Amino acid sequence: MLNVSGLTKRFGGFTALEAVDFTLLPGEVHALLGENGAGKSTLINAICGTFPPSEGNVQLDGRSLLDLSPLRVREVGVAPVFQEFSLAPALSVLDNLFLGREATRGPFLRRGEMRREAEALLSRIGFSLPLDEKVSRLSRAQKQMVEIAKALRLSPKILILDEPTASLTDGEAEKLFEAVARLKAQGVGILYVSHRMAEIRRLSDRVTVLRGGRLIATVHTADVTDAELIEMMVGRPVDELFPEIHNSPGAPALRVSDLSTATGSIRAASIEARKGEVIGLAGLVGCGRSELCRAIFGLEDISSGEVVLGETPVAKPRPDRMIAAGICYFPGDRAAEGLALNRPARENVSMAGLRLRKLSRGGLLRAGAEPEVVAGPLDKLGLRPMMPERRAGAFSGGNQQKVMLARGLVDDFDVYLFDEPTVGIDVGAKTDVYRFIKQLAESGACVIVSTSELPELLHLSDRIYVMAGGAVVQEIARDEASETAILSHYFGE
Amino acid sequence: MSVTTDNPAPAGPSRLEGFLVNGGVVLVLLVLVVAVSAAVEPRFLNKLNLMNMGRNFAFLAIPALAQMLVMTTGGFDLSLGAVVASGSVVSALVMRSMGADLPEAGVAPVLAALAAALALGLAIGAFNGWLVARFNISAFMVTLATASAIVGVVLFQTQGIPIYGVSEGFIDLIGRGRIGPVPYVALIALALVALGIVMQRGTRFGRHIYAVGSDARAALLSGVPRAKVLIATYALAGALAGVTGFLMTARLGSGQGTIAETLAMQTIAAAVIGGVSLRGGVARAELVALAALFLTVMANAMNLMRIDSKFQTLVLGLVLLGALALERLVLREKTE
Amino acid sequence: MTDVMTRRSAPALADRLKPFSLPLGIVALLLVFALIEPRVISGANLRNIALQTSFLAIFAAAQCVVLLTRGFDLSLGVTVSLVSVGAGMAMTSAGVAAGLAAGCGIALAVGLFNGLLIGAIGINAFVATLGTSYVVMALASTLSGGFPVAPLPPAFNAIFAQGSLFGIRAAIWVALIVLLAIGLMLRFTTLGRRLYLVGASARAATAAGIRPAAVLIAAYAICGLLAGIGALLLTARTGSGEPNLGGNLTLESIAAAVVGGAKLTGGEGGISSALLGALFITVLSNGMNLVQVDGYIQQVFLGAIIVLSLILGRDGARR
């Protein structure tokens, strides 16, 4: 049904996708597997018409999709559900479901009809959503469900699901799987992107593995083991990806006790971290682990509880004070919160250290010294290309991440908080980030890593705290840690 | 219907927040101003004064609706005042050239004048919308520039002198006409507000305006024609401003190029006090009308009490800042 | 991150010429006017252009500072009026020095007020300064009773309007010093750096320990102070404290900054946009005056120029 052949996509000098073939049959669930940066989103985007490929062809039922706008591609039967939502937050769920395709009589909306149709649709796919609530008031999982329902409303031939369960609970995911099964039975082809082996195994008929923009293999799911799939994805046995960290837990560096935030995103969370230790924070997106990092750093209002840095309690964390006190925070959303994208890399590196004597005296910048101050950290992290005067936004994802991380080396910090440190970066950059974490921990700093990647948790951390619903539900020591041990606590039991 | 998740939706608005959001503050202030004025100044509830307020309300509420539409898409229209002035001048010019003050002219010149004011407003608005949509440039700067250009043309044409020769019948009917105690222009304004509500709540175009202002990318991916919606919105706003100019000509008995110099700013104030979000996507016509009514009544009360016009400006500024500060401090949004 | 990479694929010739397009445009404009009316490039008129530019450049510089932070100041014009009246009154009663101090103090106070509304409370800059402008307008007309404050001490006019050093008028000197100071501040101080960073991304700046509130307050205070300095120079020139001195200055200053290349999206640009934009607009209106274009029609040209420069200067084309 869907036939992709020889697809190549270059961005400037960078080849994101090289001669990839891909087919999707009616009534098939075809999983797309690959690390971040492997080319999965480029492939999906090329199919959806977001950007035209440099070479190759995309055909649906023999008809080329290449010259169609994203909107037309959707109209001919391709329904993508991205992680980034295409919902208007100020409108209600009902309005969003029908946005752009409202049922009307003349210029007027036929609300009754839309409501009936929406209810029928939701009961067909087994989702339960408040139709009159504004989308901005929904949880992430609910938004995800609206997005999926919206895509299904058009009875597509092909459904593309990009990590659809990343923010769903087990129960919700189960509903989604049932919906997928029903659609499959109806002959819809489903392109399913996920990291989770269990899902891939349960749902998919075939798996295509991408790595570094190249097609590694397309196999029948039943014919391969999980380990084989992972090795295809990573390109080497998993153990080689992660450096061995020789840690020596020392004095307490950070203690959080009974911390709750004003928004309720964290409830009475307590953790403890020592110098020279890597602590993993595990949990679903929205479980509160990102918010915990933010609250410690002073970016979320704390309603009760205590943050103790070394031996000193911090009354009211505030980013500038926490930096001065020795905490460095790397946000998970690099583009929105990590970097000033239209400023040079140099300024982004020195941003958190402007008060330091090596960068300024009495409010005057030491403009002459600055390039040298930032060169060391950037060199150590291996920025490529090494062009500190270039706009931060002009670098690839992995190198943007390095620009942000370089901040941590401009000053001496005792505690490093990483939120999703490897989101959207390629394998090479990932190993650089892991090496960075290793160096920090081995030089005696305390490192806290909040991540949704299980392998990172398992290979990097000495201890893991699992969070669910804003609370810390379990602490797991390194030798007890396993994928199942962590996952079993994701839903709070 | 509800969904249980490990990540509950943000709690619904508290009653206080709900009240504030739904124009409660403006309503309370309005009642307060009315009560105090009625107690202190007997002339306030005088029939003539009420009619006067009704007319003034119309001349603020109609362009405020226009401003609201544009702001719903996340923009601004600073050229509304200039369009009102050009609408006034054009309708007077058309009537004069058709000999509207002659008894035998009939209604044709008046209708022609209305059509001309509408068409001019529509054209200017569509041009604004096209610039904003096609070149993706700031609505603020675009409409600032077109405002400058329109005012230039209008004043060049009139040299700042009012244009007479407007039909007496027209002035009598539209400018002074009323049903019982309610002036026609106030009725027209109310009708337009009602239309606005229907459009926002019940039409596809209304949904699309919200969608474009709420998340332009999402709207585009859902098949909402962003450019068309923007152009239509600005055009509609321009048309409303053109009509306002036409009605003002009826009220003043002449076309004037210098009316409405500060109107654009006043409409923005009314919209903001009426709860329209500057980030787009949030607006309700009835609340904007309420805010326009409040501003009109307040200005009228202060006039009656012989409060200096400078002081009135001060009060307007403080009310605007107060409303904004209240919105930020009480409803401080958790997400930026 | 991927679409960003396409941008640098072809560093087009047009992009490289961009920085020179405005200076060239100014020269071209002068030459065109000179062809119609040779007096345009007479020494007297060029000196006149320099003088006119210096006032506008100061106000445009004020806007540039807040534009950098993604804001702007709609109360600039009325601040100029208020400073003119306030300084005039202080001057008539307590002398020139007191007048200067009062003028700067008032301007700073208005700026701080804006800064608090925008930085500390978090109100949108557009409506916050709109609200302030109503308040300030009322103060200016109340203080003055609507009449000019006159006569001012003759020394004020003699020094700040007629005075010159090395044959260059006081106003030009002041403008040069102001532009230089702001330029150096932006480039070589931590405050300058923070202005850029907060404008580029307030959230990223916050996460890096910069407090946007403080930076915004400083930005609007500077903006107010510059408006005050410009207002004092204008007052010296008119010789009286004028309650309507600000007139169209708000819009002209924003137009000058934007025509000069300042971006409404914040975090980019520098002080050169204030100078170039002010020069361009001054040359344009001076030339149109000399070739006797109707004053109202000049407004039409101004509007067209603003739209044109927005279209030419936008980033949208590359996105």
Side-chain angles (χ1 to χ4, degrees), chain B residues 240-254:
Chain B
L240 284 171
V243 170
T244 311
F246 169 80
L247 295 176
M248 279 187 169
T249 303
R251 179 72 192 138
L252 299 168
S254 61

Side-chain angles (χ1 to χ4, degrees), chain A residues 219-478:
Chain A
V219 292
H220 286 279
T221 315
D223 299 346
V224 286
T225 64
D226 284 5
E228 283 168 341
L229 281 178
I230 291 177
E231 200 167 326
M232 277 190 239
M233 180 167 84
V234 184
R236 52 191 135 173
V238 195
D239 301 337
E240 286 177 21
L241 193 60
F242 294 94
E244 194 154 330
I245 301 180
H246 302 284
N247 40 37
S248 42
L254 177 75
R255 199 181 77 234
V256 175
S257 35
D258 286 326
L259 196 76
S260 299
T261 52
T263 57
S265 56
I266 307 175
R267 295 174 205 151
S270 304
I271 64 166
E272 224 184 272
R274 295 169 173 280
K275 289 187 175 166
E277 198 179 33
V278 181
I279 298 292
L281 293 181
L284 293 168
V285 170
C287 70
R289 56 183 162 78
S290 301
E291 289 77 7
L292 181 60
C293 297
R294 300 174 62 79
I296 293 171
F297 190 63
L299 286 169
E300 297 255 330
D301 288 337
I302 292 173
S303 58
S304 67
E306 198 183 29
V307 176
V308 181
L309 201 55
E311 300 288 320
T312 359
V314 184
K316 198 168 180 287
R318 210 175 75 180
D320 53 336
R321 293 190 193 134
M322 297 313 271
I323 287 175
I327 293 196
C328 184
Y329 166 67
F330 300 117
D333 191 342
R334 199 165 49 230
E337 212 173 15
L339 296 169
L341 291 175
N342 62 9
R343 302 305 303 167
R346 166 179 50 82
E347 292 185 11
N348 276 286
V349 175
S350 63
M351 177 144 97
L354 288 178
R355 74 200 148 73
L356 299 173
R357 285 187 68 79
K358 57 182 165 186
L359 282 169
S360 72
R361 292 260 164 88
L364 290 180
L365 284 176
R366 301 180 62 188
E370 189 182 4
E372 255 174 77
V373 172
V374 305
L378 285 175
D379 202 39
K380 206 163 176 183
L381 279 152
L383 180 73
R384 276 182 300 267
M386 182 52 93
M387 290 165 73
E389 292 309 312
R390 200 175 179 202
R391 306 172 44 240
F395 288 94
S396 71
N399 284 292
Q400 287 184 15
Q401 189 74 356
K402 290 176 189 174
V403 169
M404 183 171 84
L405 297 182
R407 230 180 259 168
L409 295 175
V410 169
D411 199 352
D412 287 326
F413 293 103
D414 303 324
V415 179
Y416 290 85
L417 300 169
F418 289 83
D419 192 12
E420 303 286 3
T422 56
V423 143
I425 68 178
D426 59 39
V427 183
K430 271 187 183 177
T431 51
D432 288 340
V433 171
Y434 300 145
R435 227 185 18 249
F436 180 60
I437 290 175
K438 171 187 159 85
Q439 283 163 5
L440 293 175
E442 289 181 355
S443 68
C446 163
V447 180
I448 297 178
V449 182
S450 151
T451 174
S452 42
E453 307 263 334
L454 287 173
E456 288 178 5
L457 289 167
L458 291 172
H459 288 87
L460 296 175
S461 24
D462 297 303
R463 278 185 298 130
I464 295 166
Y465 289 101
V466 186
M467 294 188 69
V472 174
V473 291
Q474 185 68 35
E475 180 183 342
I476 303 175
R478 170 170 242 171

Side-chain angles (χ1 to χ4, degrees), chain B residues 295-296 298-319, chain C residues 134 138 142:
Chain B
L295 290 177
T296 309
M298 196 174 64
N300 177 279
M302 289 195 288
N303 276 334
L304 286 182
M305 294 177 212
R306 302 200 178 285
I307 292 174
D308 201 313
S309 69
K310 303 157 202 156
F311 192 71
Q312 295 189 20
T313 316
L314 182 73
V315 172
L316 177 59
L318 291 177
V319 167
Chain C
Y134 285 127
T142 309

Side-chain angles (χ1 to χ4, degrees), chain A residues 85 90 95 109 128 137 150 172, chain B residues 3 5 11 202 207 214 217 222:
Chain A
F85 300 130
D95 289 330
L109 299 172
S128 147
R137 306 200 73 91
K150 185 177 160 190
E172 290 161 352
Chain B
V3 172
T5 66
R207 294 290 93 182
S214 182
R217 193 190 62 90
S222 307

